[in-house]
Amino acid sequence: METALRALAGDTRSRSEAVRYALLRTYREMLLEQAAADAERLRNDPDDQAEMLAIQRYMGVAE
């Protein structure tokens, strides 16, 4: 942990800034993973596909 913390802090960040950076970076990665899982689930959901098509038709971007 100390090695990672020193590497993240480098010469310009405090230890607190390095921890905040790591937490936010990890949280962002977690959100992106969840979004990808949600997209995959919705892509395979026939009800969601029908709803997206209905919205596209309403907006005039699909036939």
Side-chain angles (χ1 to χ4, degrees), residues 47-63:
D47 291 334
D48 191 64
Q49 289 177 358
E51 185 176 348
M52 286 188 291
L53 181 58
I55 291 168
Q56 290 171 350
R57 285 179 176 155
Y58 176 78
M59 294 176 68
V61 295
E63 295 181 11

Side-chain angles (χ1 to χ4, degrees), residues 3-62:
T3 301
L5 190 53
R6 279 192 302 274
L8 286 171
D11 294 330
T12 59
R13 290 188 183 123
S14 69
R15 291 170 65 90
S16 293
E17 289 170 328
V19 169
R20 280 194 295 273
Y21 171 82
L23 285 171
L24 290 174
R25 183 77 181 233
T26 302
Y27 180 61
R28 178 180 178 265
E29 289 175 15
M30 190 176 74
L31 290 177
L32 290 173
E33 289 171 5
Q34 183 62 53
D38 289 345
E40 182 67 24
R41 180 180 47 79
L42 292 173
R43 185 172 51 143
N44 296 318
D45 183 332
D47 291 334
D48 191 64
Q49 289 177 358
E51 185 176 348
M52 286 188 291
L53 181 58
I55 291 168
Q56 290 171 350
R57 285 179 176 155
Y58 176 78
M59 294 176 68
V61 295

